[in-house]
Amino acid sequence: MVNGVIDVRLPARQTAPLIFASPHSGTDYDPAFIASSRLDEKSLRRSEDSFVDEIFAGAPESGAPLLRALYPRAYLDPNREPYELDPEMFSEPLPGHVKTRSDRVRAGFGTIARMVASGAEIYAGKMSYAEAERRIETLYRPYHRALEGLIEATLRDFGAAFLLDCHSMPSVGGPTDRDRGTPRPDIVLGDRFGASCTPAVVEAAERILRDLGFSVRRNEPYAGAFTTAHYGQPGKRVHALQIEVNRRLYMNEATVARSRDLPRLRKKMTRFIAAMAEESLALVETI
C-alpha cells in the first residue's frame, strides 16, 4: 500500500509478463468529499467498477502483479489524462496546460468528474483549482508511478509487457451511450481498434474467455481510454488491453451489492488469468 491511496499486490515471484490494473474499484470515500456533494454515498458508488479488484484478485497466484486504486472514481479518475478538467466546475480560471475540451470533459467525466454515471451532478458548489491539483498530485501521480514501474520491471525481465486494464460495465447501454437500451455481452475487450495491442494477445484473451463460456465483443461500446492509449505501444513491446465485465454477472446494479454469482465469476476469471499467464510466455517469443 502506498500512502493509503493505492495497493500493489505482488506475486511471490513474477513468472508471467502480465500486469493487471483496477483503477475504478476503490471505495475509500473521504467524508469531506461526501459533505461537498449533493449526492449520497450510494449514488456516488454507482460510478464505481464495483468489486472488480475482487474478480481479478487471483492475478498474484498466477505470477502477475495487481495494481488497484483505493480512492473512488467519482473523486478522481486515473483512467484520464492528468489535467482533463471542466472549467464550469471551478471558482477561478484554469491554467493554460489544462485540457478543457475533450469528449470526456464534455460528457462530464474528466479527471475530476462533474457527474456520476447516472448523469446526476456531483458537487453542490464550485471547486478551487488548488483542490484539483492536490488530488492529482496525491492520488493520480502515485497510481501512474506505480503502473509505470510495474511495466518497466516486466519489460526488463521478460522482454515484453502485457497490461490488462480491468473494468466493469452496466448490463444495458445508458441514455447517453451509443448502444442506448441495448443488452451488452458478458465481456468487451478494448484494444483501441488494434492500436494498443498486438492481435495475437486479443485473440488469445477472446479464445480463452469464450472457452470459459463468456460472450465476447471487441471495442464496442468500449475501445479503451487513457490507460490503454497511453501505455499500449506495441512497437516498444508494451501491449495494453482493456477488459470490461458485465455487472449482471456478479452484482445487483441498483443496490451496488455483490450477488451470489460473484464467487463463481471470480473462479472463472482466475482460470482466465492462469491461462493468459501461460499464453503470454509464448507470445513474448512471437511478437
Side-chain angles (χ1 to χ4, degrees):
M1 189 175 294
V2 179
N3 296 329
V5 300
I6 64 170
D7 181 44
V8 183
R9 298 182 179 179
L10 297 173
R13 183 171 69 90
Q14 188 171 350
T15 56
L18 293 177
I19 301 142
F20 288 82
S22 179
H24 293 160
S25 55
T27 58
D28 289 352
Y29 283 84
D30 185 338
F33 170 53
I34 296 173
S36 71
S37 175
R38 63 180 68 201
L39 304 175
D40 59 24
E41 186 171 342
K42 181 172 285 187
S43 298
L44 292 168
R45 289 202 64 194
R46 292 198 175 99
S47 284
E48 295 173 14
D49 287 346
S50 299
F51 319 121
V52 164
D53 53 345
E54 296 180 31
I55 293 167
F56 291 92
E61 299 169 19
S62 290
L66 170 64
L67 166 66
R68 60 192 186 113
L70 302 180
Y71 49 84
R73 179 187 192 180
Y75 192 59
L76 180 129
D77 190 343
N79 195 26
R80 296 289 182 264
E81 295 182 33
Y83 292 98
E84 281 190 90
L85 301 174
D86 185 340
E88 295 300 316
M89 295 174 59
F90 293 89
S91 57
E92 72 256 53
L94 298 178
H97 65 268
V98 173
K99 185 174 185 177
T100 59
R101 295 183 180 181
S102 73
D103 289 343
R104 292 180 287 250
V105 168
R106 280 189 291 273
F109 304 119
T111 315
I112 296 175
R114 176 168 52 84
M115 61 179 62
V116 291
S118 67
E121 297 276 341
I122 293 174
Y123 294 96
K126 300 282 188 179
M127 181 185 301
S128 70
Y129 175 71
E131 171 60 16
E133 187 70 55
R134 184 191 68 80
R135 294 187 198 182
I136 291 164
E137 290 300 320
T138 60
L139 304 175
Y140 186 97
R141 301 293 187 199
Y143 181 90
H144 283 281
R145 280 196 295 268
L147 185 52
E148 288 164 6
L150 292 170
I151 291 171
E152 289 169 5
T154 302
L155 192 58
R156 181 187 65 239
D157 293 344
F158 294 92
F162 306 107
L163 169 62
L164 282 75
D165 200 40
C166 304
H167 299 263
S168 70
M169 60 184 172
S171 57
V172 176
T176 62
D177 295 324
R178 293 192 304 273
D179 62 340
R180 178 177 57 188
T182 303
R184 290 170 169 171
D186 297 333
I187 307 286
V188 171
L189 298 176
D191 66 351
R192 306 288 297 180
F193 297 96
S196 70
C197 189
T198 185
V201 175
V202 189
E203 289 161 8
E206 182 171 0
R207 172 173 41 79
I208 294 165
L209 289 165
R210 289 190 185 280
D211 286 348
L212 287 167
F214 295 108
S215 59
V216 183
R217 186 184 300 156
R218 297 190 195 181
N219 293 311
E220 291 294 342
Y222 301 108
F226 172 76
T227 297
T228 316
H230 180 71
Y231 292 104
Q233 300 183 56
K236 296 182 179 179
R237 298 179 66 81
V238 179
H239 303 265
L241 179 64
Q242 182 172 284
I243 301 178
E244 296 273 357
V245 180
N246 194 312
R247 291 174 189 162
R248 67 172 166 73
L249 297 177
Y250 70 92
M251 66 178 283
N252 183 313
E253 295 176 76
T255 63
V256 196
R258 299 169 183 82
S259 74
R260 66 177 66 181
D261 295 321
L262 193 150
R264 181 170 56 185
L265 176 63
R266 175 176 169 170
K267 286 181 181 178
K268 279 192 170 185
M269 280 301 174
T270 299
R271 290 166 60 191
F272 164 72
I273 293 165
M276 279 298 295
E278 185 175 340
E279 291 269 357
S280 67
L281 292 168
L283 286 167
V284 168
E285 304 300 323
T286 62
I287 60 173

